[in-house]
Every structure is written in C-alpha cells, then in structure tokens.
C-alpha cells in the first residue's frame, strides 16, 4: 500500500513483508515517506519472475529497497537484478539499496548488477539475523529446546534486523553516501551455542544447540519442509561456505552510519521473550 505525502517522493520496498523489508517500510512511513510495498500480494502486485509487474511498482518511486527472492546468491539473481535496475533507471528511480550476504562470493554478481548508469546503488552485506531465532527457520528449534543447525563452533557477528533497516533507510533517503558497500554486524561474536544460552537465559527454560552436518541439514529441509532437491543442494553448499569462520570479525559500519553501537543479542533475546516470541 502506498501512503500519500507531498513532501517526500515514494519509496518502493521489495520484500516489504519480510524481516528487513517490513522494518524498512515502517521506519520510512513513520518518517513521513510514502511507501509502496512490493510483493505478490501488494497493490500493485510485484513478482521478480514477472517483469510485467515491475513498471507499475516503480511508477513514481524515487528509491527502492531490494530484498531479492529467492536468494541474492541464486544463479539467476544477477541477470534479474540487472534488468530491474536498468528498468528502474529508465523510470527515474535514482537510489537502489540491495540487501546482500556477507562473505559469499556467489553474491558478488548480484551486487555488481545493480550498479547501473543513472542510479546511486548501495549494498548492505548482512550477517545472520538475530530474528532468525524468533521469526525464521530456527524458531521451531528454540520452542523444542534444541536448535539443530550446521554451524559447529564457528563464531558469528549476529546482527539485528532493526539495525539493517535503519542503515537501509539512511541510504534510501540520502542521509549517508551512496555507491558504497556497508558490512553490517552486531557488536560481538557468538557461537550458535552461546546464542542458544542467551535465549535460554532470557526465556528461563532449557535451549541448547545441537550441531549437525550441512548435508544432513539440507536433506532435512527437503524431507521435512518440501523444498525442491536443487534448492536443498544449493542451501547445503551455502551453509558450508558461510559457516567456515570467514565472517568471524566485526565492522563499525553501523556506528559510522547511525552514530551509535549496534544492538546486542542479549537485549534482543530479552525483548523477544518479553514480547512472547517463544510463548508457542
């Protein structure tokens, strides 16, 4: 839905019902910016696989947030994003902000694809979201008391989706320099076992981490969640790549952009627990 405002131009938020997209849309709306949600159920509807839906979504949009579906690392992402970015430039959209993955070479073609003439493109490389534990695939594990995931004892710079959204809004509205890549992390490194312990402390009930191989986890996604075999294989390879310790270092990009420290996992866990995220 687009809200009307004569002061600010419209911002298109693709993936506007997802973890980061809905947070981006909410912050823009509260700041007085008209927002158009880009999704299959949006008005007008938007579908990455159907270029006929792109132009109506872009009409009058000065900026666009791009959370690509199914994944920015997908082999077809770069071609689709290039075609979309070129269409956006033709329609007068002047700022693009792409949500990307940190430490993954497979995401680089997609990042390059949005850098087209006439557009200021900003790339946000994000680590694992806090919210994967209460809004994503790890929530069931928290509810069961055992988070099964192929991360071993690797440390990750878990990041708050709220911080990603705030950085995205700053880039969309021109409050920070564009044509840059920001690597967004939390303030400290945690293993998945340590993250589970933080959640256990916040909820007051047992939650433990159970490591499993990437192959076993990928097979379980196909078997238990109905994912296509090729997507299961893709995710398996992605987990092997992402969870090898390559991202086990922090950046200060959140502080440089927002002028404050990024949110901490312990604060997130307490907030989510108070809000009933794991009342299930």
């Amino acid at each position: 839905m687009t809200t009307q405002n004569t002061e600010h131009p419209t911002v298109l938020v693709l993936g506007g019902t997802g973890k980061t997209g809905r947070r981006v849309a909410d912050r823009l709306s509260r700041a007085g910016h008209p927002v158009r949600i880009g999704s299959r159920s949006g008005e007008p509807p938007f579908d990455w696989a159907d270029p006929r839906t792109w132009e109506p979504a872009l009409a009058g949009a000065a900026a666009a947030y791009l959370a690509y579906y199914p994944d920015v690392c997908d082999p077809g992402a770069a071609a689709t994003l290039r075609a979309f970015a070129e269409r956006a430039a033709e329609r007068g959209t002047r700022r693009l902000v792409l949500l990307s993955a940190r430490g993954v070479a497979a995401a680089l073609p997609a990042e390059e694809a949005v850098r087209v003439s006439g557009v200021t493109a900003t790339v946000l490389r994000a680590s694992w979201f806090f919210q994967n534990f209460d809004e994503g695939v790890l929530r069931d594990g928290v509810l069961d008391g055992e988070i099964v995931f192929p991360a071993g004892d690797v440390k990750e710079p878990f990041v708050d989706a709220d911080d990603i959204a705030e950085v995205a809004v700053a880039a969309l509205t021109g409050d920070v320099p564009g044509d840059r890549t920001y690597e967004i992390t939390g303030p400290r490194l945690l293993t998945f076992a340590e993250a589970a312990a933080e959640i256990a402390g916040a909820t007051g009930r047992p939650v433990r981490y159970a490591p499993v191989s990437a192959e076993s986890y990928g097979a379980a996604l196909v078997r238990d969640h109905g994912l296509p075999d090729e997507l299961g294989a893709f995710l398996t390879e992605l987990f092997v790549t992402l969870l090898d310790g390559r991202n086990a270092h922090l950046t200060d990009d959140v502080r440089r952009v927002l002028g404050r420290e990024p949110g901490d996992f312990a604060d997130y866990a307490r907030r989510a627990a108070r809000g009933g995220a794991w009342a299930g």
Side-chain angles (χ1 to χ4, degrees):
M1 181 176 69
T2 303
T3 58
Q4 299 301 316
N5 187 294
T6 57
E7 260 186 73
H8 303 292
T10 297
V11 179
L12 172 64
V13 180
L14 300 181
T17 59
K19 292 183 191 70
T20 60
R22 75 172 188 273
R23 289 172 165 85
V24 169
D26 179 63
R27 282 163 173 75
L28 286 167
S29 293
R30 284 192 279 116
H33 295 269
V35 174
R36 179 176 299 133
I37 301 297
S39 69
R40 291 176 182 175
S41 59
E43 184 56 47
F46 178 89
D47 188 341
W48 284 109
D50 185 358
R52 294 172 300 178
T53 67
W54 298 356
E55 196 150 327
L58 282 165
Y65 176 72
L66 316 180
Y68 182 77
Y69 180 85
D71 193 275
V72 74
C73 298
D74 186 86
T80 301
L81 283 165
R82 170 68 68 170
F84 179 83
E86 290 175 346
R87 184 76 59 85
E90 292 169 1
R91 294 291 298 176
T93 302
R94 291 294 170 252
R95 293 184 182 276
L96 298 178
V97 177
L98 174 70
L99 177 64
S100 187
R102 187 172 183 242
V104 188
L108 298 180
E111 294 179 5
E112 185 60 30
V114 298
R115 302 188 190 282
V116 300
S117 178
V119 168
T120 297
T122 303
V123 172
L124 309 182
R125 292 178 181 160
S127 303
W128 290 91
F129 301 170
F130 295 173
Q131 285 76 11
N132 285 333
F133 290 94
D134 73 301
E135 298 178 21
V137 295
L138 303 180
R139 182 174 184 269
D140 286 346
V142 175
L143 295 177
D144 293 341
E146 184 176 75
I147 301 169
V148 179
F149 201 67
D153 59 358
V154 70
K155 287 187 175 287
E156 282 292 319
F158 294 102
V159 63
D160 196 332
D162 287 316
D163 288 340
I164 298 170
E166 285 195 39
V167 174
V169 168
L172 288 165
T173 57
D175 290 340
V176 295
D179 283 334
R180 294 190 182 182
T181 297
Y182 297 98
E183 295 206 0
I184 305 174
T185 74
R188 59 186 172 123
L189 299 172
L190 292 170
T191 65
F192 275 71
E194 290 168 338
E198 295 276 13
I199 294 171
T203 59
R205 66 187 191 198
V207 181
R208 63 181 291 267
Y209 169 64
V212 67
S213 72
E215 292 75 17
S216 295
Y217 190 77
L221 289 176
V222 173
R223 182 185 65 249
D224 300 335
H225 297 279
L227 269 63
D229 290 341
E230 60 273 18
L231 182 54
F234 167 75
L235 290 174
T236 297
E237 183 178 351
L238 185 61
F239 292 142
V240 170
T241 301
L242 273 177
L243 298 168
D244 63 358
R246 68 183 58 201
N247 287 329
H249 59 279
L250 305 175
T251 75
D252 65 350
D253 282 358
V254 170
R255 180 169 54 79
R256 290 195 300 112
V257 173
L258 301 180
R260 61 164 177 80
E261 294 302 314
D264 187 76
F265 191 91
D267 295 330
Y268 148 76
R270 287 191 292 266
R271 187 171 66 245
R274 286 195 304 269
W278 300 298

